[in-house]
Each structure stands twice: as structure tokens, then as C-alpha cells.
């Protein structure tokens, strides 16, 4: 770990500090180039945009530009370390946007005293961008912030910690249940954690067919049930009318465990109580809710996923968010709605049922990948994710009425 720490610091510091930079898209070598790029030529697109604001997409980089915005109140698993400390993470997100979807992204870290100030700040600058990716904002403030910005902004606003996690989790879980011979509508689901990722995951699973009465969510005080008086409005939506109070109570006979909480909170004894052919997605990073080796030692019929790249079935948001934004930007969507999220889920889960290209196997360091217990979600380096997910999302934007331009018939066709 000490070696990894130094390597990470060197990676960020050398040869140039940081992970992103500005690149020019037009020549700037001659006097004529400068006359076109700036004064006097730049006045012409200014006039066009003043007359028709949509022309900003024609004459500027707005349509391929995403703001990655945080206040640093929930940085990875490190907690509230402030806006400036979040900058390496936000630059990293910008790197992923560019690497996987060709999207230009710039990080913005916001100091504020109230959620209203944060909302006002972001809303005031939103027109600069084609989309906004909110990141590492703690619950429950993140719910209010995202909802308000969706209402106030005329571009997609997407809190990836909520919806990116939910989309990848739903895709992997639906596939895992298929392998295990189960249906989501019949499955008993235990969710350890009640923050932004947990509530978004359960919301999307319900959209995908899970039954609310089969979902048991736990926070630090135990099961979220209808008799509790300490629940905020977001947890209240998942209050189950049940006499069960502890993890050991609700895990008995459960088909699914989804962990978005912390390390080593799922004991082996709990895994032993789960229904035949269970699914465990233990997504706490870097240390999952239960170590895969321990879980598999208890249950040979288990499908296991984690947030780590060194185990099978990595639940990784990079499988989703660059391509969601690619499709949303290309359709010039006003928002990212449930139809687009479900389209992303279906496109992601379908990909693992196809033969895997050799270059993906090489990048993953394996000889073979076949749809089954150790392969229910695509590898992040699978280049097919871009055209498949972006096309599905863009077509869903058109079908659901939030797209503002027509797509060519061959958009993202491979």
C-alpha cells in the first residue's frame, strides 16, 4: 500500500501536475487565424447566438462540454474533506469522460454555506455547459440539490453517485438473477446503506420490477421500518411495514444483498441464512461489506460482485456515466429521465451475452469470458459500451420527448 501511495502521488504530480488540460480545436498560427478566432471575427457567432441561443451548440464547444461539480462533502469513502480536496477526484472524472466517450469535461469545486447557495451558483453557470455531473455530495443534501438543479437548468443534471451506481447495479443484478434462475419481482432484497447510492439503486430496481414490500433497507440504526420516527423524507419512502429489526432478521431467506455502506458489515453467518442461489453485490470501496473469499467459503451457490477491479463482476460507474452523457448530449436532451436510465440498463446487460472481443480479454487479463456467475456485467474497457449505451440512451431521449434534435438513422451504429 505504501508503494501504491507513492505511485499515485507521482502519477498526479509528474510530469505536469493534474490530469487534464485545454486543447485547441482550431488553428491559431497566422494573423488571419487570430482575426477569426478573436477580434474582429468572433463578433459574428456572438451575433448569431444572441439572436438564437441554440446556435451556441453550432459555434461553441457547449454541446460536448460537461461540468463535473462537487462541494467535497462526501469524497469517495473519505468523507467531508472540503471542495479543494475533491479536485483530484473531479479531474479524474473529467479524465474518464474524455477517455471513454470523447467528452470534454472541466471540474468545478464550489464553496458554500447552504445548499441554496450551491444551487444558485451552479444554476448561474449552467448555460456554459451541455450537461452537469454532480459528484461526491453528501446525502440528504444531494437529493435537494439535484432536484432543484434539474428544475432550474435546461440541460441534463446527473448525480452519478446516485444514478450511475444504480444503473450499473441494476444491470448486473438483473443478469445475476437470470443466471440464478430468479425474477426480480419475486426476489427479497436487503440493502445495507441508506444514502444517495442506496436510495437511487432501490428506486431503479423498483422501476425495473422489484416489489417495494420485498425491499429491506438498513441504516446505522437497523431496519428502516414504518414504526421509526427518526426517518427523513428520503428514508421514509423505503420504510417497510415489518416487525424485523436487524440485519440477521431480514437476511434470512433473502435472494439479494446490495451493500453501499462500509467494510466487513456482512458476517458469514448472515450469508449462510440467505436463500438458495443468492446474489451479493458488496460495493463498499476499497474494502467490501464481505470479502469474496469468505462469502464463497460459506456459499458455493453464490454470485458475488464488488466495486474492485481485482475480483469478477466489478460494479463500476465508468461502465455507465460517460455513455449516458454521450447519448444525452448528442440528442441534446433537456434531462436524463427514467426511460433513458432503463435503456442504459438494458444495453449494458445485453452486452455480456455476446462473444467478448480478444482485445477486451487482453485488457482484462483473462483468457475467456462467458455470461455466467463470474461475468454478469461488462468490463469497463469494453469499447462496445460507447456505441451500445449511447445509442440506447439517445433513442430513449427521442422516444420520451426530451430530445431537442433528431438523430441520424445510423447514429452510433457499429
Amino acid at each position: 500500500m505504501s508503494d501504491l501511495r507513492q505511485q499515485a502521488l507521482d502519477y498526479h504530480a509528474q510530469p505536469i501536475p493534474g490530469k487534464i488540460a485545454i486543447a485547441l480545436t482550431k488553428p491559431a498560427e497566422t494573423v488571419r487565424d487570430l482575426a477569426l478566432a478573436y477580434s474582429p471575427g468572433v463578433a459574428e457567432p456572438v451575433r448569431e447566438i444572441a439572436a438564437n441561443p441554440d446556435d451556441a451548440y453550432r459555434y461553441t464547444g457547449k454541446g460536448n462540454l460537461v461540468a463535473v461539480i462537487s462541494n467535497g462533502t462526501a469524497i469517495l469513502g473519505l468523507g467531508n474533506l472540503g471542495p479543494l480536496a475533491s479536485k483530484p477526484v473531479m479531474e479524474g472524472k473529467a479524465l474518464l469522460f474524455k477517455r471513454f466517450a470523447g467528452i470534454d469535461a472541466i471540474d468545478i469545486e464550489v464553496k458554500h454555506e447552504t445548499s441554496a447557495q450551491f444551487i444558485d451558483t451552479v444554476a448561474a453557470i449552467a448555460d456554459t455547459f451541455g450537461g452537469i455531473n454532480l459528484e461526491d455530495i453528501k446525502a440528504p443534501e444531494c437529493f435537494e440539490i439535484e432536484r432543484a438543479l434539474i428544475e432550474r437548468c435546461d440541460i441534463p443534471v446527473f448525480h452519478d453517485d446516485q444514478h450511475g451506481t444504480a444503473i450499473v447495479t441494476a444491470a448486473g443484478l438483473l443478469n445475476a438473477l437470470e443466471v440464478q434462475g430468479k425474477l426480480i419481482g419475486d426476489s427479497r432484497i436487503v440493502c445495507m446503506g441508506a444514502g444517495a447510492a442506496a436510495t437511487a439503486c432501490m428506486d431503479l430496481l423498483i422501476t425495473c420490477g422489484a416489489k417495494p414490500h420485498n425491499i429491506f433497507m438498513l441504516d446505522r440504526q437497523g431496519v428502516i421500518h414504518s414504526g421509526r420516527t427518526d426517518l427523513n423524507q428520503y428514508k421514509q419512502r423505503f420504510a417497510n411495514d415489518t416487525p424485523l429489526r436487524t440485519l440477521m432478521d431480514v437476511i434470512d431467506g433473502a435472494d439479494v444483498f446490495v451493500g453501499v455502506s462500509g467494510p466487513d458489515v456482512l458476517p458469514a453467518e448472515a450469508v449462510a441464512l440467505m436463500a438458495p442461489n443468492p446474489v451479493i453485490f458488496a460495493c463498499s470501496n476499497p474494502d467490501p461489506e464481505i470479502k469474496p473469499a469468505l462469502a464463497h467459503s460459506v456459499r458455493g451457490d453464490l454470485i458475488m460482485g464488488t466495486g474492485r477491479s481485482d475480483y469478477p463482476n466489478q460494479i463500476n460507474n465508468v461502465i455507465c456515466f460517460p455513455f449516458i452523457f454521450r447519448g444525452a448530449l448528442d440528442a441534446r436532451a433537456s434531462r436524463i429521465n427514467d426511460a433513458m436510465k432503463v435503456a442504459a440498463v438494458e444495453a449494458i446487460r445485453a452486452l455480456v451475452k455476446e462473444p467478448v472481443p480478444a482485445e477486451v480479454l487482453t485488457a482484462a487479463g483473462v483468457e475467456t469470458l462467458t455470461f455466467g456467475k463470474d461475468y454478469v456485467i461488462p468490463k469497463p474497457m469494453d469499447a462496445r459500451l460507447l456505441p451500445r449505451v449511447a445509442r440506447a440512451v439517445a433513442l430513449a431521449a427521442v422516444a420520451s420527448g426530451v430530445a431537442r434534435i433528431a438523430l441520424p438513422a445510423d447514429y452510433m451504429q457499429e
Side-chain angles (χ1 to χ4, degrees), residues 111-351:
K111 287 183 180 179
H112 65 95
E113 294 181 1
T114 66
S115 292
Q117 289 178 351
F118 182 92
I119 292 164
D120 287 343
T121 298
V122 176
I125 64 173
D127 281 352
T128 303
F129 306 99
I132 292 172
N133 183 105
L134 300 174
E135 194 81 12
D136 288 359
I137 302 170
K138 70 181 178 72
E141 290 85 350
C142 63
F143 303 119
E144 173 195 354
I145 286 169
E146 186 193 41
R147 184 178 64 250
L149 288 172
I150 288 172
E151 292 173 356
R152 291 178 59 175
C153 300
D154 197 31
I155 57 173
V157 177
F158 186 82
H159 184 203
D160 186 47
D161 298 319
Q162 292 184 58
H163 310 300
T165 303
I167 289 165
V168 178
T169 299
L173 181 57
L174 288 168
N175 277 347
L177 288 172
E178 182 179 334
V179 172
Q180 299 288 54
K182 300 184 179 186
L183 299 173
I184 193 168
D186 301 330
S187 297
R188 179 186 179 97
I189 301 169
V190 173
C191 179
M192 178 67 82
T199 56
C201 283
M202 295 305 108
D203 276 333
L204 188 56
L205 290 181
I206 291 169
T207 300
C208 292
K211 299 297 190 293
H213 67 268
N214 282 338
I215 294 176
F216 298 86
M217 185 179 284
L218 297 97
D219 62 9
R220 289 183 176 86
Q221 282 68 51
V223 174
I224 294 176
H225 60 85
S226 55
R228 283 178 54 175
T229 59
D230 61 336
L231 303 176
N232 62 39
Q233 60 179 307
Y234 308 105
K235 293 183 182 181
Q236 186 66 50
R237 294 189 296 109
F238 295 97
N240 197 311
D241 185 13
T242 176
L244 305 177
R245 296 293 182 262
T246 69
L247 171 64
M248 298 302 285
D249 291 337
V250 295
I251 203 76
D252 191 4
D255 300 286
V256 174
F257 174 90
V258 176
V260 277
S261 52
D264 302 320
V265 296
L266 180 64
E269 296 80 9
V271 177
L273 293 175
M274 295 182 73
N277 301 317
V279 178
I280 293 178
F281 280 5
C283 300
S284 173
N285 255 326
D287 300 313
E289 282 78 3
I290 185 170
K291 292 178 175 61
L294 177 58
H296 285 295
S297 73
V298 177
R299 299 295 297 261
D301 57 350
L302 169 70
I303 290 181
M304 179 96 189
T306 72
R308 294 175 56 137
S309 60
D310 51 349
Y311 296 117
N313 301 322
Q314 184 186 17
I315 309 304
N316 189 330
N317 286 20
V318 78
I319 294 170
C320 165
F321 74 84
F323 319 119
I324 287 264
F325 269 95
R326 181 73 280 157
L329 291 174
D330 291 345
R332 207 173 295 171
S334 58
R335 61 184 58 207
I336 295 171
N337 59 23
D338 281 349
M340 296 159 74
K341 296 172 194 174
V342 172
V345 169
E346 293 301 326
I348 291 167
R349 67 179 297 228
L351 192 57

Side-chain angles (χ1 to χ4, degrees), residues 348-414:
I348 291 167
R349 67 179 297 228
L351 192 57
V352 297
K353 299 173 184 179
E354 300 180 15
V356 181
E359 58 268 23
V360 177
L361 297 176
T362 300
V366 297
E367 293 184 1
T368 183
L369 285 171
T370 305
F371 179 54
K373 287 190 174 184
D374 288 336
Y375 183 54
V376 298
I377 195 78
K379 296 295 184 181
M381 63 287 296
D382 194 326
R384 297 173 297 172
L385 283 163
L386 172 57
R388 301 293 182 83
V389 179
R391 179 173 172 81
V393 168
L395 292 177
V398 173
S400 61
V402 298
R404 286 178 289 200
I405 57 173
L407 293 168
D410 62 348
Y411 171 73
M412 284 290 178
Q413 292 279 37
E414 296 173 81

Side-chain angles (χ1 to χ4, degrees), residues 82-129:
L84 188 58
S86 75
K87 189 171 177 64
V89 182
M90 301 310 116
E91 283 192 356
K93 207 64 180 277
L95 178 151
L96 296 174
F97 269 116
K98 189 67 172 180
R99 162 64 179 81
F100 288 99
I103 294 171
D104 296 322
I106 190 71
D107 62 295
I108 299 174
E109 294 76 36
V110 178
K111 287 183 180 179
H112 65 95
E113 294 181 1
T114 66
S115 292
Q117 289 178 351
F118 182 92
I119 292 164
D120 287 343
T121 298
V122 176
I125 64 173
D127 281 352
T128 303
F129 306 99

